[in-house]
Amino acid sequence: IIENNSSLAVLLVISELTDKVENTRLKEIDEFKDKLLAIVTHELRTPLNCIIPLISTAVEAEEVPEEIRNKTLRPCLSSSKLLQNLVNDILDYYQIKNKKIRLVMEEFRLRIKLEEIHQLFEVQANMKNISLQILVDENVPEYVLSEPNRMTQIINNLISNAIKFTPPGGNVHVFVHKAKNSDTLQFEVQDNGPGMPEEVIQNLFEDVTSSGKTNFSNPDIRTNPTGMGIGMSISNHLVQLLGGKGIKVESELGIGSRFSFEIPMFIQDYHNEEASFITSRRKENLSFQVPATRDHFRCSCQNVLIVDDNMYNILSFKAQLTQYKLNVLKAFDGQEAVELIEDLQNKVQSCGSDVCQRIKLIFMDYEMPRLNGLKATSIIKEITKRQNIPDIPIILNTAHNDSETKTEASKVGI
C-alpha cells in the first residue's frame, strides 16, 4: 500500500509539471504570434504610406492623361487604400486583443466632424449614384466631449459597408440625435441594400478576442463576395470601449439594413476659446489649403525638413510638399538631421538673418540608424532652447500606432 501511494504521488507531481510546461509553451507561442503580427503589420504600413501619397499626387497631376488617370491610377489608389484599411483593422484587432487601445477624450465640434465624414464618402457614393445624407437633429449640441477618432472610425465603417452593399441608385442615410433625458447621442446608418438573414446577423460581430474565427473574408456575409471584414467586430468593441452597449442590427431581406449605436458624449453647453481654435485649425489642416498653410510661415522661403532612412518615403513627402511652394530638405537619419540643424543655425548667426535658412517644420521618422527619431528630437529641442530661437514643430512619421510610442513622443516634445 505504501509503495502504491508513493507511485501515485510521483505520477501526480509529473502530471502537474507537465501542465506547467504545456502552459508555458502555449504562452510563448501566443507571445510569438503577437510579436509577429505587430512586425508584419508595421512592415506592411511602411510601403503603403509611400505608395498611396505618390499615386494620389499622380492622380491630381494635370499632365497625366485622363484615360490613364481613370483606368490605371484610380484603381491602383482604391486597391492600395483597401489594403491599408485591412492592415489598420489587423492592428486594431491586435490592440483590442492585448487591451492596448488608448482613448484620447477631447472637446470637438460634432457637425464639422460629420461634414468631413460626408466629404470622405461623397465621391464613392456618387460613383454608384447612391444618395448619401447625414441628418443631424436640432437638439444635438455643437460641442461634445468624446474620442473623435474612434467615433469617426465606427461611423466610417458602417457607411463604407452600407455603400458597398447598396445597389446603384439606392440610399444611405445617417441619423444623429440626442437621447431624451440623457447625455447620450444616438447614431443610425440605414441603407436599402439586399438585407441579411438572421443567421448572418448572429455571427456578424464574432468576437475576435475570444474566438478562433474571424470574418476577414466570409463570402456569405450580406451575399457579397468581398465580405464585411473584421471591421464590424472591431467597431462593436470600440462602441463598448466608448461607453455604449454595442451595435444593434435590424435587417430585412430585400428591404435593407439599419445599424445603430449609442455613445455617452459628455455633452457641453459651453466651449472655451482654446478648444474652438484647435477645432478651427484642424479644419484648415484637413483641407490643406495653400493660403492657410503658408500663413504659418513668416519668411519668403518655407524650409521643411524630412528625416527618414527610406528614400521612397522622402520622395513621397517631397512630391506632396512641393505642390505648396515648400522648399524640402532631407536627412537620412537622426544624426544627420541634428548636424543639419546646427549647421543652418550657425549660418543664421553668422549672417544675422534667418531668411531662407531657418527650418520651420520637421517630419521625423522613428526607427533610423545611428540616432532614432525620439533622441534626435530631444537634441534638436535642446539646440533651439540653448540658442534662444523659436521652437521647431516636429511631427513623428511612423507606422507604429501603439499608445507607448505616442506617450514617448509626447515626452520629448513631438
Side-chain angles (χ1 to χ4, degrees):
I1 295 173
I2 295 174
E3 291 179 356
N4 288 340
N5 284 341
S6 300
S7 300
L8 178 61
V10 171
L11 287 174
L12 288 173
V13 170
I14 292 175
S15 176
E16 184 178 352
L17 289 174
T18 302
D19 289 341
K20 288 184 178 180
V21 171
E22 180 66 15
N23 290 335
T24 301
R25 188 181 71 87
L26 291 175
K27 185 178 179 181
E28 290 175 349
I29 291 175
D30 285 340
E31 290 177 353
F32 172 77
K33 289 191 295 185
D34 291 341
K35 290 179 181 178
L36 180 62
L37 178 63
I39 293 171
V40 170
T41 50
H42 176 273
E43 294 303 317
L44 282 172
R45 291 186 75 181
T46 299
L48 283 171
N49 288 340
C50 172
I51 292 170
I52 292 175
L54 284 176
I55 299 177
S56 300
T57 302
V59 168
E60 300 298 327
E62 295 180 357
E63 59 269 22
V64 175
E66 192 67 21
E67 184 177 1
I68 295 178
R69 181 183 287 112
N70 291 330
K71 293 185 177 181
T72 303
L73 294 177
R74 292 191 190 279
C76 287
L77 183 60
S78 297
S79 298
S80 299
K81 288 183 176 179
L82 184 64
L83 179 58
Q84 185 183 51
N85 290 336
L86 177 59
V87 173
N88 290 336
D89 281 346
I90 294 173
L91 282 171
D92 282 335
Y93 161 74
Y94 169 77
Q95 290 181 332
I96 288 174
K97 183 177 183 295
N98 292 277
K99 298 180 180 180
K100 290 185 176 181
I101 283 189
R102 178 171 172 259
L103 301 178
V104 181
M105 309 296 286
E106 58 182 277
E107 186 183 77
F108 64 97
R109 297 174 68 179
L110 180 61
R111 283 178 174 81
I112 287 183
K113 182 63 66 176
L114 294 171
E115 287 174 8
E116 293 166 358
I117 292 174
H118 185 273
Q119 292 172 5
L120 177 65
F121 290 100
E122 190 173 19
V123 174
Q124 184 180 344
N126 289 340
M127 290 178 66
K128 293 183 65 175
N129 194 28
I130 290 175
S131 172
L132 173 62
Q133 296 184 34
I134 298 181
L135 307 173
V136 184
D137 276 0
E138 292 182 356
N139 64 351
V140 174
E142 185 71 17
Y143 287 83
V144 297
L145 183 66
S146 186
E147 221 289 8
N149 295 327
R150 293 303 181 178
M151 183 206 73
T152 299
Q153 181 179 349
I154 298 166
I155 298 174
N156 283 353
N157 184 67
L158 295 179
I159 293 178
S160 176
N161 283 322
I163 293 176
K164 180 193 299 184
F165 296 107
T166 299
N171 301 303
V172 174
H173 293 161
V174 181
F175 302 95
V176 183
H177 51 92
K178 179 179 177 293
K180 294 181 180 180
N181 303 320
S182 71
D183 286 346
T184 299
L185 289 185
Q186 299 174 333
F187 298 83
E188 301 175 11
V189 179
Q190 184 174 320
D191 65 63
N192 60 348
M196 296 175 289
E198 185 61 31
E199 58 268 21
V200 171
I201 296 176
Q202 291 177 356
N203 298 321
L204 195 58
F205 304 112
E206 185 72 33
D207 191 346
V208 298
T209 63
S210 62
S211 170
K213 302 176 182 178
T214 54
N215 290 326
F216 279 101
S217 184
N218 185 348
D220 295 327
I221 292 179
R222 300 191 75 175
T223 66
N224 188 296
T226 59
M228 297 182 81
I230 59 173
M232 291 300 297
S233 180
I234 291 171
S235 295
N236 193 49
H237 276 279
L238 290 177
V239 170
Q240 295 170 1
L241 287 173
L242 292 175
K245 296 181 179 180
I247 299 176
K248 298 179 181 179
V249 185
E250 301 172 32
S251 186
E252 187 175 348
L253 288 174
I255 302 298
S257 302
R258 175 179 172 269
F259 295 79
S260 62
F261 64 92
E262 296 182 357
I263 294 180
M265 301 295 283
F266 307 103
I267 294 168
Q268 304 291 314
D269 294 326
Y270 67 92
H271 71 277
N272 55 57
E273 292 301 324
E274 182 179 2
S276 176
F277 168 73
I278 292 173
T279 305
S280 173
R281 183 178 60 190
R282 280 187 183 157
K283 182 67 176 176
E284 290 181 354
N285 287 344
L286 282 167
S287 60
F288 207 66
Q289 299 174 5
V290 178
T293 304
R294 295 191 64 168
D295 285 345
H296 293 289
F297 300 94
R298 294 175 180 267
C299 69
S300 60
C301 181
Q302 296 86 38
N303 288 322
V304 177
L305 174 62
I306 303 171
V307 188
D308 202 307
D309 60 333
N310 188 316
M311 173 57 76
Y312 294 108
N313 287 342
I314 293 178
L315 290 175
S316 174
F317 264 111
K318 188 172 183 179
Q320 298 173 82
L321 295 174
T322 51
Q323 298 179 73
Y324 304 100
K325 313 297 182 184
L326 301 174
N327 183 41
V328 178
L329 305 176
K330 59 182 181 293
F332 292 102
D333 58 52
Q335 184 62 40
E336 186 176 345
V338 170
E339 293 171 357
L340 179 62
I341 293 291
E342 290 180 328
D343 183 55
L344 288 178
Q345 291 309 132
N346 291 334
K347 290 181 180 179
V348 170
Q349 291 178 354
S350 63
C351 68
S353 172
D354 67 349
V355 176
C356 299
Q357 296 289 345
R358 184 163 288 158
I359 292 173
K360 298 302 182 69
L361 179 65
I362 299 176
F363 289 97
M364 182 75 72
D365 187 21
Y366 185 177
E367 296 182 358
M368 294 179 290
R370 293 206 296 172
L371 196 64
N372 67 33
L374 299 186
K375 292 180 179 179
T377 296
S378 297
I379 296 174
I380 291 172
K381 295 290 184 181
E382 291 175 2
I383 293 173
T384 56
K385 184 178 181 180
R386 184 174 65 248
Q387 298 187 3
N388 195 28
I389 58 177
D391 185 46
I392 304 173
I394 300 178
I395 299 173
L396 187 66
N397 177 46
T398 177
H400 290 292
N401 195 32
D402 55 279
S403 58
E404 289 84 359
T405 301
K406 295 175 182 178
T407 301
E408 291 175 2
S410 298
K411 288 180 179 179
V412 298
I414 289 178

